[in-house]
Amino acid sequence: MLNDWRTRLILIAFSGIILLFIVAPIAGLLLRTSPAEYSTTFQDSEVTSSIGLTLLASMGATIIFGILSVPLAYLLARKDFPFKGLINGIIDVPVVIPHSAAGIALLGVISRGTWVGQAGEAAGISFVGGVAGIVVAMAFVSLPFAINAARDGFAAVPEKLEKAALNLGASPARVFFSISLPLAKRSVISGLVMMWARGLSEFGAVIIIAYHPMITPILIWERFTSFGLSYARPVAAIFILVCLAIFITMRVLSGKRYHVRN
Amino acid sequence: MLEIKNINARLGDFRLRNISLELEPGDYLTVLGLSGAGKTVLLEVLAGLVKPETGEINLDGEDISNLKIQNRPFGLVYQDMALFPHMTVRKNITYALKGKGLSNQEQGNKTLELARLTRVEHLLDRHPGTLSGGEAQRVALARTLASNPKVLLLDEPLASLDVKLRQELRELLKKINQTGKTIIHVTHDPMEAATLSKKIAIIEKGELIQWGKPEEVFRNPVSEFVARFSGIKNIFPCTFEKTSEKNGLFHGLTKNKITISCLDDPGKDAAHLMIPGEDIIVSKERLETSAINQYKGIINEIYYLNHGVELIINVGEIFSVIVSKRSVEKLSLAPGEEVWLSFKASAVKIL
């Protein structure tokens, strides 16, 4: 079917439209920002500290919550237990609900009036209007990416390899760290990268919990509503470039695939 | 001594039923059966990968039925090897040596010793994905031997190998067995079983049909399945009339109305009669011999084999007879030729 030139033309045209749909706005944004605007914005300490905060908060969310979610991903991939389908569904809830609603929901758990909020305050951690709140909000909306990718990665590891390792006398913990995790590594890292990237771009949930300190998506929004497009665009362009650079680097470094002999 | 008592296991719709076996230390048992007969499930039950519903596994007097996989002294080599793809051959072999109180030097020496035994020392720094089937099979064997199991469980270890590699691995398995290691080897190839085993067990649809020394099983198959599976031909379903006994002989009638006389009482109205191909005499004329069963027929086909010539002869039923090449030349046997077949009633076995 693909040999038919008309079919090929349609396939190429449709693919081109979709790619253009993704690339054109971003390319337009980057190209319409002048070198002078880039230079000035780079020297704006509010912008650089906001980008630094966004990167670190998302990374913190990924390291703390993403890594904590690996055992759950493994359980979902390997074990059968009651309500497993329900749990899989629950994991996807943060993706399907409006993120401002997610922020409101989180506020109900971590605000100062709740025991979590009070416990945080007692430990010197302020969720509302604090970095910890940003981390929690970012983690809440981006965690499904990490769990789903890791679960699929573990499920793709042949169970036979784990059983072979057990048969060789290895403990279940050793099997997990020497066989399951290294073989699912690519998916786990890919999920963590996606979680981190999704956390970077979070706006709705974070603005409910912490307007300040200001993460970059909120800074872009604030500049747009207060000063207009020309002030928001350079910040957005620089933030996109930073995210793309880190995202591509991590993708490249996320490891190689192994051929499993069958 | 390994005692397997009344093992019943369920895996999906498949059931393994009442498997009981006994092996002496250093035994080489081949488990023969068709695909899906339950051979691999039996190995998995022994290795602890499948939990049996009932039954007991005793090794040297100790009940090990409830031991965890990692604590069982059974080393399983999977049919598809299950080598760890992210580790080199060296790390695959060393895997079982970790956590056993051996120094790095001792682990290295042991790895090298096993690699030499299995002739994979030149592959130690390669990854499994780059190995041929034979190489991967030998690495899998070395890795399992590294865990020093009391019983080695092999799942179709020769299945994916060419003739030369099969021969090499067969010799290696014999060598390992000669060191005193008990081996349970699953295969669907009767030749493999005959050349390697001290004992064979035949499994059909999850049940152990027959087990014992190879010569006993192949000479005295207890059922048509065992006989056919063992490569034995000339098996005929026959009916017997109650009055078929005459002069100490019993006369069975095949589907195509050929009468075959035997010495043993079938004890029922219908039974399968088997005549080993090597017990049948082929001649150009009817012989004046003590052989009761004599039939005239036509040679349908002639097949030249490694160990002789197989004649397919139609006497109303199709017989397979093995003769020497010299006999073929001497009697000028050729397809379409008329010949006589004769065999004694004592050569006829009832299944």
Side-chain angles (χ1 to χ4, degrees):
Chain A
M1 195 180 87
L2 284 176
N3 289 333
D4 179 348
W5 68 269
R6 277 168 298 197
T7 313
R8 284 167 76 181
L9 199 65
I10 291 168
L11 283 177
I12 291 168
F14 278 29
S15 307
I17 289 167
I18 291 298
L19 284 174
L20 200 63
F21 178 68
I22 297 170
V23 171
I26 296 170
L29 178 75
L30 297 176
L31 295 172
R32 285 166 71 183
T33 306
S34 69
E37 285 175 314
Y38 276 117
S39 170
T40 314
T41 314
F42 258 127
Q43 289 166 34
D44 184 340
S45 62
E46 193 182 15
V47 173
T48 49
S49 64
S50 150
I51 289 176
L53 171 67
T54 312
L55 293 176
L56 285 175
S58 187
M59 191 154 291
T62 305
I63 290 171
I64 298 166
F65 290 89
I67 290 174
L68 278 177
S69 69
V70 169
L72 173 63
Y74 183 74
L75 280 178
L76 289 170
R78 276 289 178 262
K79 306 288 177 191
D80 283 320
F81 48 83
F83 308 115
K84 185 174 164 182
L86 180 67
I87 292 172
N88 274 319
I90 289 171
I91 286 164
D92 287 332
V93 166
V95 176
V96 295
I97 60 171
H99 286 185
S100 50
I104 299 285
L106 274 176
L107 207 54
V109 179
I110 61 171
S111 65
R112 292 187 180 93
T114 64
W115 69 266
V116 177
Q118 285 166 359
E121 293 290 338
I125 299 167
S126 179
F127 289 107
V128 178
V131 176
I134 297 173
V135 168
V136 170
M138 284 177 167
F140 185 79
V141 296
S142 58
L143 207 47
F145 292 93
I147 298 176
N148 289 336
R151 182 195 56 211
D152 295 347
F154 284 124
V157 175
E159 214 172 336
K160 195 172 269 188
L161 296 180
E162 294 172 350
K163 288 185 171 175
L166 284 172
N167 181 254
L168 292 170
S171 66
R174 186 175 167 222
V175 173
F176 178 78
F177 286 109
S178 62
I179 307 295
S180 321
L181 193 56
L183 288 174
K185 185 177 73 178
R186 191 182 166 91
S187 298
V188 172
I189 291 176
S190 175
L192 292 177
V193 170
M194 284 305 293
M195 181 183 173
W196 177 75
R198 181 64 195 82
L200 287 180
S201 61
E202 183 48 26
F203 172 79
V206 176
I207 200 168
I208 301 283
I209 291 168
Y211 192 88
H212 285 286
M214 205 174 274
I215 59 164
T216 314
I218 296 177
L219 180 67
I220 294 167
W221 178 75
E222 196 209 43
R223 292 209 169 176
F224 177 69
T225 52
S226 304
F227 307 108
L229 182 63
S230 58
Y231 282 85
R233 192 171 52 222
V235 184
I238 286 176
F239 189 53
I240 286 173
L241 284 175
V242 170
C243 291
L244 280 178
I246 299 174
F247 190 62
I248 291 167
T249 309
M250 292 188 79
R251 277 282 192 187
V252 170
L253 296 177
S254 66
K256 62 176 179 177
R257 285 181 194 280
Y258 292 102
H259 168 71
V260 178
R261 174 175 285 286
N262 275 315
Chain B
M1 184 185 205
L2 174 66
E3 290 171 281
I4 302 164
K5 292 182 187 170
N6 299 320
I7 291 288
N8 283 280
R10 186 190 288 271
L11 200 67
D13 291 336
F14 179 79
R15 292 200 62 170
L16 204 60
R17 278 173 286 206
N18 285 322
I19 305 285
S20 294
L21 283 166
E22 275 180 25
L23 295 181
E24 297 295 331
D27 258 350
Y28 196 125
L29 171 76
T30 307
V31 181
L32 264 170
L34 298 173
S35 294
K39 312 181 294 287
T40 301
V41 179
L42 175 62
L43 292 191
E44 291 185 335
V45 167
L46 294 176
L49 307 180
V50 172
K51 198 170 169 53
E53 292 174 324
T54 59
E56 210 175 280
I57 302 163
N58 290 324
L59 185 66
D60 299 333
E62 187 194 349
D63 181 5
I64 58 160
S65 317
N66 296 315
L67 278 187
K68 289 180 179 172
I69 303 171
Q70 59 268 34
N71 298 331
R72 292 201 183 199
F74 291 142
L76 173 61
V77 181
Y78 282 97
Q79 184 176 1
D80 60 6
M81 282 72 88
L83 294 174
F84 307 137
H86 57 305
M87 296 181 192
T88 59
V89 166
R90 186 190 307 278
K91 285 189 174 167
N92 263 279
I93 299 174
T94 313
Y95 192 84
L97 300 171
K98 299 272 181 197
K100 297 217 164 135
L102 297 176
S103 67
N104 286 346
Q105 175 78 34
E106 286 167 327
Q107 287 178 27
N109 291 343
K110 186 71 187 168
T111 301
L112 205 58
E113 180 194 319
L114 290 167
R116 283 198 183 116
L117 173 73
T118 52
R119 295 184 28 228
V120 294
E121 66 267 42
H122 59 295
L123 306 170
L124 285 171
D125 295 319
R126 298 250 301 265
H127 275 84
T130 67
L131 304 178
S132 70
E135 289 169 341
Q137 191 62 262
R138 294 204 302 272
V139 172
L141 200 54
R143 185 181 67 172
T144 304
L145 288 171
S147 66
N148 196 24
K150 283 189 178 171
V151 182
L152 196 56
L153 308 172
L154 308 172
D155 191 1
E156 302 264 10
L158 310 179
S160 59
L161 307 181
D162 62 35
V163 176
K164 184 172 172 287
L165 289 173
R166 270 171 180 248
Q167 187 52 36
E168 282 179 18
L169 200 62
R170 226 177 257 152
E171 282 165 17
L172 176 61
L173 293 175
K174 275 189 178 172
K175 201 167 149 187
I176 292 166
N177 181 235
Q178 279 160 7
T179 65
K181 189 83 71 192
T182 306
I183 296 180
I184 300 180
H185 171 146
V186 153
T187 180
H188 60 267
D189 182 354
M191 275 302 287
E192 208 171 296
T195 51
L196 282 165
S197 332
K198 291 175 186 164
K199 287 176 183 161
I200 68 168
I202 296 186
I203 287 191
E204 184 191 12
K205 293 176 186 164
E207 282 187 83
L208 183 63
I209 304 293
Q210 188 175 4
W211 75 284
K213 291 180 178 169
E215 59 273 21
E216 286 169 7
V217 174
F218 289 143
R219 273 250 152 230
N220 302 297
V222 296
S223 70
E224 183 195 359
F225 173 80
V226 175
R228 288 198 191 282
F229 195 66
S230 309
I232 297 168
K233 295 175 180 174
N234 307 327
I235 301 166
F236 304 103
C238 292
T239 53
F240 291 83
E241 288 181 13
K242 281 183 182 164
T243 54
S244 71
E245 195 253 315
K246 284 174 194 164
N247 305 324
L249 290 172
F250 296 85
H251 306 285
L253 198 61
T254 70
K255 279 182 185 164
N256 292 325
K257 310 296 177 201
I258 299 289
T259 302
I260 298 175
S261 305
C262 58
L263 281 180
D264 297 328
D265 182 357
K268 48 195 172 183
D269 295 345
H272 284 82
L273 297 185
M274 181 198 87
I275 305 101
E278 55 272 26
D279 289 343
I280 301 174
I281 293 169
V282 179
S283 57
K284 293 289 261 187
E285 305 292 337
R286 186 182 179 114
L287 299 175
E288 287 304 318
T289 70
S290 59
I292 296 293
N293 298 291
Q294 299 217 3
Y295 313 95
K296 190 158 81 171
I298 303 283
I299 298 175
N300 278 358
E301 306 279 350
I302 295 183
Y303 298 113
Y304 287 84
L305 311 172
N306 283 340
H307 56 284
V309 180
E310 183 182 13
L311 307 176
I312 306 297
I313 300 168
N314 186 352
V315 299
E317 294 289 350
I318 302 293
F319 276 78
S320 162
V321 185
I322 306 291
V323 295
S324 66
K325 284 179 190 167
R326 192 156 168 249
S327 300
V328 173
E329 287 161 12
K330 191 174 146 193
L331 297 173
S332 305
L333 300 177
E337 287 283 319
E338 203 174 83
V339 286
W340 279 84
L341 296 188
S342 36
F343 50 88
K344 292 183 170 187
S346 58
V348 180
K349 292 186 166 57
I350 297 167
L351 300 181

